[in-house]
Amino acid sequence: MSEDRLIIFDTTLRDGEQSPGASMTREEKVRIAKALEKMRVDVIEAGFPIASVGDFEAVQAVARSVKDSTVCGLARALDKDIDRAGEALKGANSSRIHTFIATSPIHMERKLRMTPDQVVEQAVRAVKRARQYTDDVEFSAEDAGRSELDFLCRVFEAVIEAGAATLNVPDTVGYAMPHQYGELIRQLRERIPNAGKAIFSVHCHNDLGLAVANSLSAVINGARQVECTINGLGERAGNASLEEVVMAVRTRADVFSCTTGLDTTQIVPCSKLVSNITGFPVQPNKAIVGANAFAHESGIHQDGVLKHRETYEIMRAEDVGWSQNRMVLGKHSGRNAFRTRLEELGINFATEEELNAAFASFKSLADKKHEIFDEDLQALVTNQGIGAENERIKLIFLKVCSETGETPNASLVLSLDGEERSVSAEGGGPVDASFKAIDSIVESGTELLLYSVNNITTGTDSQGEVTVRLERGGHIVNGQGSDTDIVIASAKAYINALNKILAPSDRAHPQGNV
Ligand code: KIV
Ligand code: ZN
């Protein structure tokens, strides 16, 4: 790769998944990975294989499905983590192991309870072990933003010697200021004797809203890999947003002496897919991918844009994939056309029964909504929950009555652990009544943290996409549901969230105690 190429390392499937409630199934990860591959992302971090059997299988499935991007697995600097990552990545065309250990005084003393010498020794050992699986090894100094410069230089020099090709400098807690962080990268490149043998990478969190600014400052100072996520998803306030980094580098080519290899027209479709799967809506004023990012409300702006686009627009909406909304299927489309389009979107059905069930849902959607877009298909598949046949709760029937001056009422039939139960309940509105009816059967003891409705496409016949976030005993999940009827979409979303919270989870967090 030439010197002026900026490597885009996407960690939506790993750090993005660490957002409370954003966990994804294996099939969902494969769909997102295929979309990232289509966008020509260089490296896809698919997960943390040792976290659980499900995480291992998800990384393995991504490794087997993606051909053009490098697939990466995260591992703490521990033999067992590295072996698990190496195993999960076996089927990949091109694989990377990303191993890390904390280097800041506070993390070494309080979390790891290790001396600096022990940390260097463990880092070197981890890189050497990872090299037994792949030539492409990345080393991260966790909490580099608060680490001592001399110590960072020492660790990085040692891991380059041990075979690391990429050195990642995470601002794990989002503490850095752009000028300091840029300077840190410059100093590291100047002071480490073998720095020329490795690529410097940055990984910034957004706690102070500076993740993108810090990443860009690092790029100006010679970093040649940026770790980022779609929609800025990620732990706490999130990671640097891929779309903002990529479009800043492209739009301000006068400032950055590097380019990415991305097909930027895939940005908006990918953003919508991630939002649909994780249930994290995109705020309307979000740069690049927000619904208002290219909308001109004030008359003065509209007039200017109509006369000459560049008076108020620095990018073209079509360059980031807006206005790609085209009808792909309709009422008369057959099973083959349906299957082919889904395969193009990275969705493959394991069995004919799954395909038949999804096709039946498509037909009933096409009866209500004549033009079907890719976003509708994505939502339909998310709704269908491929691989979710073991879910405990299923919605069989729902009827709501809502009229002026009367208390709304919902009657429904649910299947809970295979047994059908009927109930009706009243509520402040039809959604409230439906949720109360579901609660009276499931008695989950959860707290509702968020309820939001968005339209998937435009027009009043659009499907409503509902997100429900629930919490129980510190465990947070997001549920999604979509339908042209938003009350049904809401019930589906609530049931989806309940199914997730009722499923046992044994996942380890990569940055928890070792
Ligand atoms: O934020 C962080 O430090 C991380 C590391 C695991 C790279 O996510
Ligand atoms: Zn992180």
Side-chain angles (χ1 to χ4, degrees), residues 14-15 74 98 100 140 142-143 168 170 172 203 205 511:
R14 198 278 298 170
D15 218 325
L74 182 71
H98 175 192
F100 74 98
S140 277
E142 189 190 7
D143 205 18
N168 188 34
T172 304
H203 174 113
H205 279 271
Q511 288 153 285

Side-chain angles (χ1 to χ4, degrees), residues 235 276 334 452:
E235 187 90 42
N276 167 256
S452 90

Side-chain angles (χ1 to χ4, degrees), residues 290-464:
N292 292 352
F294 292 87
H296 295 272
E297 170 71 21
S298 98
I300 297 171
H301 284 202
Q302 282 181 358
D303 181 55
V305 171
L306 289 176
K307 283 185 180 137
H308 187 69
R309 193 184 55 80
E310 279 153 23
T311 46
Y312 284 100
E313 270 187 15
I314 57 167
M315 295 168 277
R316 291 189 314 177
E318 53 273 34
D319 288 348
V320 296
W322 282 109
S323 66
Q324 283 218 329
N325 244 1
R326 56 190 178 90
M327 182 184 133
V328 289
L329 295 174
K331 197 175 161 61
H332 301 293
S333 307
R335 206 161 160 280
N336 259 343
F338 176 70
R339 185 210 301 255
T340 306
R341 187 64 199 158
L342 288 185
E343 280 171 4
E344 282 162 11
L345 294 173
I347 300 159
N348 294 293
F349 294 98
T351 62
E352 283 298 297
E353 286 75 50
E354 276 182 2
L355 170 63
N356 292 342
F359 186 60
S361 305
F362 160 72
K363 280 290 180 188
S364 94
L365 177 63
D367 275 340
K368 294 183 233 157
K369 181 179 189 298
H370 300 304
E371 297 180 317
I372 307 285
F373 301 99
D374 281 342
E375 289 88 337
D376 289 312
L377 295 176
Q378 298 278 20
L380 183 143
V381 174
T382 305
N383 230 357
Q384 200 81 17
I386 300 181
E389 54 286 332
N390 300 327
E391 286 180 342
R392 294 181 55 192
I393 315 164
K394 293 189 172 80
L395 179 66
I396 310 284
F397 167 85
L398 171 63
K399 179 175 151 194
V400 287
C401 296
S402 162
E403 60 180 286
T404 39
E406 296 295 328
T407 307
N409 180 286
S411 312
L412 58 79
V413 182
L414 285 190
S415 154
L416 176 61
D417 295 329
E419 190 192 325
E420 285 197 10
R421 310 262 298 267
S422 313
V423 73
S424 56
E426 292 185 336
V431 172
D432 188 43
S434 310
F435 284 20
K436 286 193 168 121
I438 295 168
D439 270 341
S440 69
I441 296 178
V442 180
E443 295 178 345
S444 66
T446 54
E447 192 189 336
L448 180 73
L449 300 183
L450 173 114
Y451 168 78
S452 90
V453 189
N454 288 291
N455 51 334
I456 291 183
T457 52
T458 50
T460 48
D461 72 344
S462 163
Q463 293 194 82

Side-chain angles (χ1 to χ4, degrees), residues 7 28 69 80 161 239 250 272 334 361 419:
I7 298 169
E28 289 168 344
S69 310
K80 59 176 182 176
E161 201 49 46
N239 288 63
R250 179 180 151 141
K272 289 189 175 179
S361 305
E419 190 192 325

